[in-house]
């Protein structure tokens, strides 16, 4: 089982719709969770970070975390063609503070159709 | 505040050569990590440095090494290059454990 799993997509949504991206992780002790956006040929750009169970909203983006189910999701409201990119889920295992690294999923390719 | 910078941005090397990549973190960030990104393997963790000490290392051969200087700038070195080392090498910096990581633009290495 991969440590961080995402559906590779592509996920195609019409402009203005809600895009829902999902991620599961295997290490129950993981503490920090991140969503990055990566345009083709560019480096990952931080979209959201979430550390506690529940929802966290920032503009059109909402991250949701459920540690009991080991599940993280990202909702993008009013999707725009400029949101078309690969969305990477990343988890920091943070074992007692001694580990400070990110484990990435393979990413979900989102295509927003005009 | 300036972001993470990496030099060079593009590099072409021949098998058997060695290469050194450089990274300057965001001002005030003391943690620097390196990742390799390839189409087949995705983003894979190489190593992480904090205050000139390597704290974590990924599952890469010993040909991959790195260091961090007192000003938090970091370098990574790959010796005896192989074709499979062709990748985008990304540097990221962070304030500390558990905090967000910000990525630089990357160095695109091509090994021929």
């Amino acid at each position: 089982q991969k440590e961080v799993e995402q559906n590779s997509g592509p996920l195609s949504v019409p402009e203005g719709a809600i895009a829902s991206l999902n991620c599961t992780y295997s290490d129950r002790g993981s503490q920090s969770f991140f969503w990055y956006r990566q345009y083709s040929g560019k480096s990952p750009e931080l979209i959201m970070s979430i550390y506690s169970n529940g929802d966290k909203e920032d503009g059109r983006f909402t991250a949701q975390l459920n540690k009991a189910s080991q599940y993280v999701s990202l909702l993008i409201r009013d999707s725009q063609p400029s949101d078309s990119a690969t969305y990477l889920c990343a988890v920091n295992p943070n074992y007692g503070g001694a580990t400070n690294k990110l484990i990435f999923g393979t990413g979900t390719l989102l295509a927003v159709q005009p | 505040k300036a972001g993470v910078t990496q030099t060079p941005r593009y590099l072409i090397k021949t098998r058997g050569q060695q290469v050194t990549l450089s990274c300057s973190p965001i001002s005030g960030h003391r943690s620097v990590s390196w990742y390799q990104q390839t189409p087949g393997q995705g983003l894979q963790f190489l190593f992480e440095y904090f205050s000139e000490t390597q704290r974590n290392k990924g599952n890469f051969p010993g040909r991959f090494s790195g260091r961090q200087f007192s000003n938090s700038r970091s370098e990574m070195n790959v010796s005896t290059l192989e074709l499979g080392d062709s990748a985008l090498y990304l540097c990221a910096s962070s304030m500390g454990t558990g905090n967000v990581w910000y990525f630089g633009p990357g160095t695109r290495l091509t090994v021929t």
Side-chain angles (χ1 to χ4, degrees):
Chain A
Q1 181 190 8
K2 291 185 179 179
E3 294 179 272
V4 179
E5 294 204 53
Q6 297 180 254
N7 188 321
S8 62
L11 173 65
S12 183
V13 300
E15 184 174 356
I18 296 175
S20 178
L21 305 162
N22 304 313
C23 170
T24 58
Y25 60 95
S26 61
D27 190 334
R28 186 171 290 277
S30 297
Q31 300 291 321
S32 314
F33 307 86
F34 307 90
W35 283 99
Y36 286 85
R37 176 175 63 194
Q38 187 174 27
Y39 293 110
S40 181
K42 301 294 186 181
S43 65
E45 171 193 11
L46 180 71
I47 298 294
M48 294 283 287
S49 61
I50 188 165
Y51 302 91
S52 304
N53 280 329
D55 295 359
K56 179 182 178 182
E57 187 175 318
D58 184 1
R60 296 187 296 114
F61 299 95
T62 299
Q64 299 174 315
L65 173 61
N66 184 327
K67 290 186 178 180
S69 301
Q70 295 172 240
Y71 178 89
V72 192
S73 67
L74 179 70
L75 299 177
I76 306 174
R77 289 180 299 280
D78 188 24
S79 294
Q80 301 297 309
S82 58
D83 293 327
S84 298
T86 295
Y87 288 80
L88 297 160
C89 174
V91 175
N92 187 337
N94 196 23
Y95 301 116
T99 297
N100 192 20
K101 66 179 185 181
L102 295 177
I103 301 172
F104 282 88
T106 53
T108 298
L109 179 61
L110 173 66
V112 181
Q113 308 299 325
Chain B
K1 191 182 275 191
V4 180
T5 58
Q6 293 186 245
T7 57
R9 294 292 310 280
Y10 302 92
L11 207 49
I12 299 175
K13 290 287 188 178
T14 304
R15 271 180 302 175
Q17 290 186 314
Q18 74 168 19
V19 66
T20 299
L21 311 181
S22 182
C23 170
S24 291
I26 293 171
S27 178
H29 286 191
R30 296 172 65 187
S31 291
V32 172
S33 60
W34 290 87
Y35 293 81
Q36 181 196 65
Q37 187 174 31
T38 60
Q41 298 297 319
L43 268 155
Q44 292 190 290
F45 171 75
L46 279 157
F47 24 66
E48 183 240 351
Y49 289 88
F50 178 82
S51 293
E52 303 178 65
T53 300
Q54 186 183 91
R55 296 198 301 183
N56 297 282
K57 190 176 191 304
N59 188 25
F60 278 83
R63 299 184 297 108
F64 292 81
S65 63
R67 59 178 176 169
Q68 187 181 32
F69 302 96
S70 58
N71 61 359
S72 294
R73 192 177 68 85
S74 178
E75 290 181 346
M76 68 163 281
N77 184 77
V78 188
S79 62
T80 319
L81 284 166
E82 300 177 359
L83 293 178
D85 297 333
S86 294
L88 179 66
Y89 289 88
L90 292 158
C91 170
S93 76
S94 170
M95 289 285 287
T97 301
N99 288 297
V100 299
W101 288 94
Y102 297 94
F103 283 83
T107 295
R108 173 81 55 191
L109 172 65
T110 302
V111 182
T112 62

